[in-house]
Amino acid sequence: MPSIRHKITFGYYLFAACIIGLAVFAYANLRFMEQRLDWGTAVSSLLDTTLEMRRFEKNYFLYGKPEDAASAQTYAGAALSLLEENTAAYREFAATDDLQQLREHLERYSERIAPLVNMPGEYSAARNAIEADIRKLGHDLSASAELISANEHDVMRTLLNTARRTVVGLLIAVTLFSLVLAHVLTWIVVRPLRRLERDLKDIGQGRISSLPARSKDQEIVSFTQAFNHTLHELEVRRRHLVQSEKLASLGTLVSGVAHELNNPLSNISTSTQLLLEELASADHDQIRAWLGDVEEQTERARRIVASLLDFSRDNPFVLNPTSLRSVLDKSVMLMAAQRPKSRCEIINDIAPEIRIDADAQKLQQVFVNLLGNAIDAGARKIQVQAPACMSEDNLEHYVWTQVPVTGECGTDMLCVAVNDDGPGIAADLLPKLFDPFFTTKDVGFGSGLGLYVVEKIIRQHNGSVGVTSTSGGGTTFLIRFPRRHATETMS
């Protein structure tokens, strides 16, 4: 297992390797310059040969000596040989087409000047025609050679400037690399500690999870393992605490359910007494009606008890196709049992065809917590809407516990809005609503875990929840689920 000490040693080896690499680069650069100097020599030779050729050419036309024509022809052949031998070098300073044209001009120059070697010096019509052609060819050849030489001088000047900058750059690079290496070695030691600091801040903000193994350093791994063990113990106790909050709510529910069960049990008792008293004289239709009432009230009591049991279970998180409207209906039934004297009107405005891949029991707990908070705050009317369509711009008015799940409502997203007409919440309190143990209720009337549990459950569903409110203007909770977890089927 690596350690911080090993990384520091590796840093020193890396520095030595970089110095060697820079030396190799400098040597390769010098070899490159040497090659360019050889090419410059070849270019100079071509220019000198061309100029000598022109000099003998002009002497011949001035004095008419055949040996001058022969010398010009010799230098033309030498220039052609240089062109063939150093084609690769000349291509660095001239285009391929220009070199081909230069070659053709040299060949034609040699052909045109050859007859003058044995031609008398006096002027004639044939000699005048050849002279004009040779002068033009010679002028073009010398111009081409001078252009190649000028390009070579420009290239060499550029290379020298580049070499000068390279040397300065290497010196700066070595200095900067030394400073960077010193900084990196320090960073290697400090970085794992800073990462631990950031992770601990996340844990302190309520996002309790295992400390990620961000470093393989032996010193850090031991600390991470010990700390993760502590986090595991904290997570176990947190789950117990959340379940305790749920059981505390369940205690309140039980008293309400007892009152709610009174009605169907009373109806069952009344129907049974009538059946016993009138069994002998009643007709079959009346008996069936009484028995139907017994069955109906029994089913009503069964649904109340089943909802209570579903709410109380601590089942593993499982996604199944679930009717969103049905989940809300069960939640409303529980709220009616929990707060039988409440005069709050709960409007279930969820489209009946909406089904969502969700954990029904967990989702029911979300609605129970949101509805219960609204009723406790004094709301007289609560409206639950789905789909609750709104533009992405409106999302800016909400306070989110995390970056909201984005997408077009109805296509990419399923949006559920829980809106109440209660007294609202002050703007400075909105960012704290989902923090654990934060509550606006009086001491002894709330643990501050309700909305914290809501946010955890929504996050389990890969969704996000936000809240907006104005003091005295009601409160709206907006839940956004990815569309891939929701489907619509006609019921």
Side-chain angles (χ1 to χ4, degrees):
M1 182 179 295
S3 65
I4 295 176
R5 179 175 60 85
H6 292 155
K7 291 182 178 180
I8 293 175
T9 303
F10 174 77
Y12 285 122
Y13 285 138
L14 180 63
F15 178 74
C18 289
I19 293 298
I20 294 173
L22 290 174
V24 171
F25 175 78
Y27 176 77
N29 191 51
L30 290 175
R31 288 289 300 169
F32 178 77
M33 290 294 298
E34 182 180 4
Q35 183 186 41
R36 288 300 189 272
L37 288 174
D38 292 339
W39 288 358
T41 302
V43 171
S44 298
S45 298
L46 177 63
L47 179 60
D48 293 342
T49 302
T50 304
L51 292 177
E52 286 296 312
M53 178 191 72
R54 293 300 312 279
R55 185 172 67 85
F56 282 106
E57 169 201 322
K58 291 178 179 179
N59 287 339
Y60 174 76
F61 290 131
L62 286 174
Y63 306 111
K65 296 180 179 180
E67 56 269 23
D68 289 334
S71 297
Q73 184 183 23
T74 301
Y75 277 105
L80 188 59
S81 298
L82 287 171
L83 187 62
E84 296 294 339
E85 294 171 1
N86 302 286
T87 300
Y90 297 147
R91 282 176 180 168
E92 296 292 324
F93 314 110
T96 303
D97 293 341
D98 293 338
L99 293 177
Q100 179 62 30
Q101 186 179 30
L102 180 61
R103 182 181 294 106
E104 293 174 356
H105 284 179
L106 284 171
E107 291 174 351
R108 186 178 178 187
Y109 186 92
S110 297
E111 293 175 0
R112 296 297 288 167
I113 205 170
L116 297 180
V117 176
N118 300 317
M119 185 176 289
E122 60 273 5
Y123 289 96
S124 63
R127 185 174 182 276
N128 289 340
I130 294 174
E131 178 181 347
D133 195 13
I134 290 175
R135 286 182 185 277
K136 183 178 182 307
L137 289 171
H139 178 269
D140 293 341
L141 288 171
S142 59
S144 298
E146 289 173 355
L147 180 61
I148 293 174
S149 178
N151 290 340
E152 184 268 336
H153 287 162
D154 291 340
V155 170
M156 289 303 299
R157 188 178 298 107
T158 302
L159 289 175
L160 288 174
N161 291 334
T162 302
R164 187 183 302 109
R165 288 193 297 268
T166 301
V167 171
V168 175
L170 288 176
L171 292 176
I172 296 175
V174 170
T175 303
L176 291 178
F177 183 77
S178 301
L179 295 175
V180 169
L181 182 61
H183 176 74
V184 168
L185 291 178
T186 304
W187 180 59
I188 287 175
V189 177
V190 176
R191 180 185 59 172
L193 300 178
R194 288 181 176 173
R195 286 178 173 175
L196 284 175
E197 181 183 7
R198 288 195 298 268
D199 292 334
L200 290 174
K201 285 183 179 179
D202 291 340
I203 293 172
Q205 293 172 357
R207 293 187 288 271
I208 300 175
S209 59
S210 297
L211 194 64
R214 299 183 184 276
S215 174
K216 296 182 179 180
D217 297 331
Q218 184 176 2
E219 299 88 348
I220 303 300
V221 168
S222 299
F223 175 81
T224 301
Q225 290 174 347
F227 196 81
N228 277 339
H229 177 72
T230 303
L231 286 181
H232 175 71
E233 294 298 324
L234 289 174
E235 177 67 14
V236 171
R237 284 159 177 75
R238 184 192 68 83
R239 290 176 182 173
H240 290 165
L241 188 61
V242 171
Q243 185 64 13
S244 298
E245 161 70 11
K246 189 174 179 181
L247 292 177
S249 299
L250 187 62
T252 306
L253 280 174
V254 169
S255 62
V257 167
H259 180 275
E260 186 72 11
L261 283 175
N262 243 357
N263 293 329
L265 290 178
S266 177
N267 292 335
I268 290 173
S269 177
T270 300
S271 297
T272 304
Q273 289 177 5
L274 289 172
L275 183 61
L276 290 174
E277 293 173 0
E278 305 293 336
L279 182 61
S281 59
D283 57 25
H284 290 290
D285 291 337
Q286 185 62 51
I287 293 174
R288 286 193 185 91
W290 287 333
L291 290 176
D293 289 340
V294 171
E295 182 182 13
E296 180 182 350
Q297 296 303 319
T298 302
E299 177 61 22
R300 178 183 174 188
R302 188 194 67 78
R303 287 198 302 269
I304 294 173
V305 174
S307 297
L308 182 64
L309 291 175
D310 286 342
F311 182 76
S312 63
R313 292 192 184 100
D314 187 21
N315 296 325
F317 181 78
V318 178
L319 295 176
N320 290 308
T322 304
S323 170
L324 194 60
R325 186 183 182 89
S326 175
V327 172
L328 181 57
D329 285 337
K330 292 181 180 179
S331 302
V332 172
M333 182 187 300
L334 287 175
M335 296 312 301
Q338 183 178 355
R339 296 167 174 81
K341 297 182 180 181
S342 173
R343 296 183 179 179
C344 180
E345 179 187 6
I346 301 177
I347 302 174
N348 188 342
D349 208 6
I350 296 179
E353 67 271 13
I354 292 180
R355 298 178 65 82
I356 180 173
D357 289 340
D359 186 308
Q361 189 266 341
K362 300 287 186 183
L363 206 55
Q364 184 179 348
Q365 188 174 357
V366 168
F367 285 126
V368 167
N369 287 353
L370 293 178
L371 296 176
N373 284 346
I375 293 173
D376 291 342
R380 308 294 292 177
K381 180 179 178 182
I382 304 174
Q383 185 177 20
V384 184
Q385 294 176 295
C389 296
M390 62 180 57
S391 66
E392 296 293 327
D393 295 336
N394 290 336
L395 300 182
E396 298 178 358
H397 301 299
Y398 286 78
V399 175
W400 301 88
T401 58
Q402 59 181 356
V403 177
V405 180
T406 58
E408 183 178 350
C409 181
T411 302
D412 304 315
M413 308 298 311
L414 174 63
C415 302
V416 183
V418 180
N419 179 54
D420 67 67
D421 61 353
I425 304 171
D428 59 326
L429 297 181
L430 291 180
K432 304 177 183 179
L433 286 184
F434 297 98
D435 292 346
F437 306 111
F438 176 81
T439 179
T440 58
K441 299 178 183 178
D442 294 335
V443 177
F445 291 91
S447 64
L449 290 173
L451 292 179
Y452 173 71
V453 172
V454 167
E455 192 272 335
K456 284 290 183 182
I457 293 175
I458 297 303
R459 185 178 294 185
Q460 279 184 305
H461 287 79
N462 295 321
S464 55
V465 57
V467 59
T468 183
S469 180
T470 56
S471 183
T475 303
T476 299
F477 286 89
L478 181 64
I479 304 172
R480 292 168 63 84
F481 294 105
R483 196 64 189 172
R484 62 178 179 275
H485 294 309
T487 57
E488 292 188 7
T489 57
M490 296 303 295
S491 57

